[in-house]
Amino acid sequence: MSWRTGYRRRMRAWGEALWVGRWVESLLPGVVRRVLEGGEPQPGWIPRRVLAVISADIDNTAGVGAVWIVWHPKSSRAREHTALLEWYDEQWRYVGGGSGPVDDPADVDVIEVRGGGGALSLTRSLDPPHSFATAPWISCAAVHLGRDVGHILIGNRRIAAPEERKLVAAWTSQQVNRGARPVIVAFGRDGTELSRIGPHDSLDTHTWARLREEM
């Protein structure tokens, strides 16, 4: 492949991500409203083959949220987007997000964390000068779950496992701790703990135990 062809492909991908990102941002207010009302996040007027809202998480207590969207999910050029939101100035506002190729692991035993993103809180503008290191940081992660999981705890928040076994979770922390996520614990339908994954872990405890048995 010549450098010109590679350049054109990179520019096309960048243009598509920018265009889709604007579409995603315009859809967020409706998605948030439906989630807060207890409804499905997917816009009824958009076919899922065109744009699928995989998951949306709104934490009213922390005033943050995240939406996980896949553009053309059945296409070989499918791309996923995570959008971060914050309750700021009496409304939910778009803070930032990320975009990339679809990363969908197969045969997840219990928990697997993939993707995600982060952005500085809009409240940083209220902070005194030189407070960048302590400015609030909003993060999210895509969580894939096994079939036996009934619900998970992300920090102190309980989230029921969706039928699709995929969800996005949002949280906030200080900028200096932005690389750490809350402890995620998976429970079976009977309330038994199945596995957990720590703030900096790449694998959950169930997977580690299985790998040790195979050695």
Side-chain angles (χ1 to χ4, degrees), residues 111-124:
I111 313 172
E112 191 161 339
V113 178
R114 295 283 188 100
L120 273 173
S121 164
L122 294 172
T123 60
R124 67 185 183 277

Side-chain angles (χ1 to χ4, degrees), residues 7-18:
Y7 175 77
R8 291 192 189 99
R9 289 183 178 177
R10 289 193 296 273
M11 291 303 294
R12 186 185 303 117
W14 176 83
E16 288 175 351
L18 179 64

Side-chain angles (χ1 to χ4, degrees), residues 109-193:
D109 283 347
V110 184
I111 313 172
E112 191 161 339
V113 178
R114 295 283 188 100
L120 273 173
S121 164
L122 294 172
T123 60
R124 67 185 183 277
S125 61
L126 306 176
D127 294 338
H130 312 299
S131 61
F132 178 80
T134 59
W137 183 261
I138 301 170
S139 301
C140 72
V143 183
H144 300 258
L145 302 173
R147 281 289 162 191
D148 295 331
V149 178
H151 73 274
I152 63 173
L153 286 181
I154 298 183
N156 294 321
R157 297 177 58 219
R158 184 185 189 277
I159 301 177
E163 185 64 29
E164 296 79 9
R165 323 311 293 174
K166 304 174 185 178
L167 61 88
V168 68
W171 63 88
T172 185
S173 62
Q174 289 188 335
Q175 157 78 354
V176 292
N177 297 322
R178 65 179 184 173
R181 60 174 175 265
V183 175
I184 302 176
V185 187
F187 294 87
R189 292 176 177 83
D190 61 355
T192 303
E193 180 177 326

Side-chain angles (χ1 to χ4, degrees), residues 18-20 24 28 46 67 80 83 95 101 106 115 118 120 124 135-136 147 149 158 165 179 189 193 195 202 210 212:
L18 179 64
W19 182 75
V20 174
V24 168
L28 293 178
I46 299 182
V67 180
E80 61 184 19
V95 180
L120 273 173
R124 67 185 183 277
R147 281 289 162 191
V149 178
R158 184 185 189 277
R165 323 311 293 174
R189 292 176 177 83
E193 180 177 326
S195 188
S202 58
R210 190 193 65 195
R212 283 194 294 269

Side-chain angles (χ1 to χ4, degrees), residues 197-209:
I197 185 167
H200 300 284
D201 294 339
S202 58
L203 296 176
D204 63 292
T205 54
H206 170 84
T207 302
W208 276 120

Side-chain angles (χ1 to χ4, degrees), residues 40-54:
E40 291 292 325
Q42 177 73 26
W45 55 276
I46 299 182
R48 290 181 182 271
R49 67 178 182 277
V50 176
L51 183 146
V53 180
I54 305 301

